[in-house]
Every structure is written in C-alpha cells, then in structure tokens.
Amino acid sequence: MDEFSLIQQFFSAAAINNGVVLGIGDDTAIIKAVEGEELLFTCDTLISGVHFPVDTDPYAIAYKALAVNLSDIAAMGGQARWFTLALSLPEADPDWLEGFSNGLFALANQFAVSLVGGDTTRGALSITISVIGTIAEGQAIRRSGAKPGDDIIVTGMPGIAALALAELQGSIKQAEADSVSSRSKLDFPQPRLLEGQFLRSYASSMIDISDGLAADLGHILQASGCGAILDTDLLLESHYTDMQLPADRIIDSILYGGDDYELLFTVPGALTPMLMKSWDLTFPALTKIGEITAGEDLKILDSSGNVIDIALHGYNHFHDRKKQ
Ligand code: ADP
Ligand code: MG
C-alpha cells in the first residue's frame, strides 16, 4: 500500500466542518481565523517501547496519543478544534491501521476535533500529534495564577492509572474490579475538555496531571511563586472505592504515579463553595486536597498532622518514573 492510498483509506474521514476551508490533500490545510479568539498549540510524541508496550492494541495507542494532547488544551480551558498526525510506521499493516484509525476517530469525533493534515513515513513506530485549540482572547488559564489562600482541587481519581501500570509490571495485585477500571484509565484517559472550559470562571491556575500530582503541582508553584500544603487524608478522599491496597501505596501512586490526565487547579477560597455547588454532576467529582501558601515549599501532612519529607521522593527534580 503506498503512502497516498494509506492516507486516503485510513485518515481522510470527512472532517467535521470546524472552520476548515481546505483539509487533507494540499500542501497545507486552510482554516478560517476568527476575530477575538486566540489559538492554543500543543504537540506530544508517543514512541513504541517507551510510552506504550510494543504489542499494545493500535486502537488504544491512537486513542491515548490524541487524548494526551487534548488534555493539554483542556488544561488551558480551551476548545480543541484541529489536529495533525505524523505517523512513522515499520510497515503498512491494514489491520493495524484499521484499529489505529478507529481509535483515533472515536475520540476525535467525540470532541469534534478535525484531522487536517499530517505526515506518513517508514521507520520505528512513533506517533506525533499536534492539536490546535481556540479560546476567547485573554481567557486561557495559565500555570502562573495561583495565590496564597487559594484552594487546590483535583478532578476524578488521580493515581489510578499508575496502579494499573504497577500491576502490569507485577509489583501489586488489585481486586478484579479495580484491576479492570484502572486499566481502562491507563489505556483510555478521558481528556477533561468540558471540565476545563467550565473552570475558566473559577480557576486561578491549572495544569493536567501527566507526571504525578506532586511534580505537576510543583510546576504551578514554580510558575506562581507560591508554596502549598497538601493533606494525605484529603488525597485519599479522592478515592471513593474501597481499595484493598495499603493507604501508603495509594498515596504514593497519587503523588508520584502520573498518566492521570486529570485537571489540577487552584481556586480563590471564596469561590470554592460556588464552584462545588455549580459543578456539573456528569463531570468527575472534585476533591479539595490542600491550599496554596506563601513561601516556596510543598508540604504534605500525614493523618497525624506530621510533615512527610517528600524531598526523598525527588519532588521537583527529574523523578525517575519507570515507564513500560
Ligand atoms: P507534503 O509533501 O506537501 O507535506 P504529503 O505528501 O506528505 O504532503 O501529504 C499529502 C497530504 O496528506 C497532506 O495534506 C498531508 O497533510 C496529508 N497527510 C499525510 N500523512 C497524513 C496522516 N498520517 N494523517 C493525515 N493527513 C496526512
Ligand atoms: Mg509530507
């Protein structure tokens, strides 16, 4: 199969209109600019054997490659609109491509993002997706807006995806139901786009959790010039399952696990009650896990109120997180 029939067959699904004047097939796509909007650009690469095991289902590979990019748009409070796909493939296997294309468009159609171009080459399997989003001028939520006294809040259940990875690697064993649900969080992260847009009216800073809550909160603290205090009891409250793992193991996974693609954000304390009241019940639950403080330290308190020394875990350094 040559490059052009491959693109035609697997990647030329009729684009959702989305202001696309000209889609796949020319030297560039043409997209209508809109007065009063800013563009959000992001790009992520997934490499076989590094970001996913070589034998991963192609449907899941494509889904996750797009999901992690959409998650970055979500973390700015934006709307995802268009994407490009640079695909490097060892061979053009139609079955593999069929699964990949299905996973890609399942998510693209769910969030109405249009594939408008890309590149196809022969080589080791790697997938680079770039997403362009839009947002009303000046409305994007940056990492730098946190202030002392803001509450720190997280969507959903951070730490779960990393438990699935730990189980795959054989270091823990979960109950059957937890095993299944955590695996689906690892393979099919749900980009929190609608949640991110909702949070534009509340959040002072925001980030999506890809490298573990501690490291990603660290980015907010650094950009905002603040410190924070987290409470491990509150972290555990984000886990409303009755997991059979020891609390320490769960907390470790929340703080250092990663691959969650949940939103971590700060809200001025006075706005939190209104946020909690107006939060859409179809969105994943919110958990307040701590507060922003003056200073620069991230302090984590255990159940008896003692400070846990997280420097030992490599917070804010290149934490050596083991991938597959
Ligand atoms: P060029 O050489 O001008 O970059 P190509 O021959 O690489 O164009 O690609 C032809 C058209 O197909 C372009 O519009 C390009 O954006 C698109 N394209 C190539 N690979 C992919 C892909 N994997 N997914 C979507 N569009 C693709
Ligand atoms: Mg090209």
Side-chain angles (χ1 to χ4, degrees):
M1 183 184 298
D2 71 34
E3 183 186 336
F4 300 104
S5 46
L6 184 158
I7 296 164
Q8 182 61 35
Q9 184 173 347
F10 296 107
F11 300 114
S12 301
I16 301 142
N17 180 284
N18 239 344
V20 178
V21 179
L22 181 64
I24 290 171
D26 211 311
D27 293 314
T28 78
I30 306 176
I31 289 164
K32 182 111 193 75
V34 176
E35 181 78 33
E37 284 187 351
E38 288 170 337
L39 298 176
L40 310 170
F41 283 76
T42 182
C43 174
D44 270 297
T45 296
L46 270 72
I47 296 173
S48 175
V50 178
H51 299 99
F52 55 86
V54 179
D55 58 358
T56 305
D57 179 7
Y59 185 102
I61 295 173
Y63 192 102
K64 189 160 180 174
L66 181 56
V68 301
N69 276 286
L70 296 181
S71 178
D72 283 321
I73 302 287
M76 303 302 284
Q79 188 181 350
R81 304 287 298 279
W82 310 282
F83 71 108
T84 60
L85 167 68
L87 193 55
S88 164
L89 290 172
E91 56 178 350
D93 172 355
D95 289 340
W96 192 95
L97 281 159
E98 177 78 24
F100 185 90
S101 166
N102 288 340
L104 190 72
F105 287 109
L107 191 59
N109 293 339
Q110 183 187 342
F111 289 105
V113 259
S114 310
L115 179 61
V116 295
D119 197 24
T120 308
T121 52
R122 189 183 290 270
L125 177 59
S126 96
I127 300 109
T128 299
I129 289 182
S130 301
V131 177
I132 304 171
T134 54
I135 194 159
E137 236 166 76
Q139 294 296 299
I141 305 169
R142 304 173 188 210
R143 296 178 179 182
S144 54
K147 297 269 181 321
D150 286 0
D151 288 325
I152 303 169
I153 301 177
V154 70
T155 62
M157 296 200 282
I160 298 283
L163 291 177
L165 182 55
E167 190 163 39
L168 280 177
Q169 292 169 338
S171 66
I172 60 166
K173 179 88 193 87
Q174 302 186 85
E176 177 64 20
D178 290 336
S179 183
V180 170
S181 66
S182 65
R183 185 62 201 267
S184 119
K185 284 219 65 176
L186 179 66
D187 288 346
F188 301 105
Q190 298 299 299
R192 303 304 189 192
L193 282 156
L194 301 180
E195 295 80 355
Q197 289 160 24
F198 185 94
L199 288 167
R200 278 203 306 260
S201 323
Y202 295 95
S204 51
S205 71
M206 183 148 69
I207 192 168
D208 65 319
I209 306 176
S210 53
D211 296 331
L213 195 152
D216 288 317
L217 178 57
H219 295 312
I220 286 185
L221 300 184
Q222 195 164 25
S224 302
C226 295
I229 188 152
L230 293 183
D231 182 329
T232 54
D233 285 347
L234 296 179
L235 288 177
L236 282 175
E237 272 178 26
S238 68
H239 289 249
Y240 35 83
T241 62
D242 52 347
M243 288 224 232
Q244 286 147 29
L245 291 168
D248 279 4
R249 183 65 189 81
I250 296 175
I251 288 167
D252 190 79
S253 191
I254 296 173
L255 289 174
Y256 310 108
D259 255 352
D260 297 305
Y261 305 101
E262 294 294 348
L263 295 175
L264 175 67
F265 57 96
T266 59
V267 175
L271 291 183
T272 303
M274 213 204 309
L275 167 62
M276 295 295 184
K277 223 165 66 194
S278 59
W279 190 242
D280 194 316
L281 290 177
T282 63
F283 294 166
L286 296 179
T287 310
K288 178 188 159 175
I289 57 172
E291 268 181 35
I292 298 291
T293 57
E296 296 186 338
D297 298 341
L298 172 54
K299 287 206 176 80
I300 303 181
L301 301 183
D302 67 15
S303 329
S304 17
N306 298 317
V307 176
I308 301 174
D309 185 3
I310 58 153
L312 294 176
H313 287 272
Y315 153 68
N316 214 2
H317 302 283
F318 290 94
H319 186 61
D320 185 18
R321 184 160 68 91
K322 201 153 175 290
K323 298 224 168 177
Q324 295 100 322

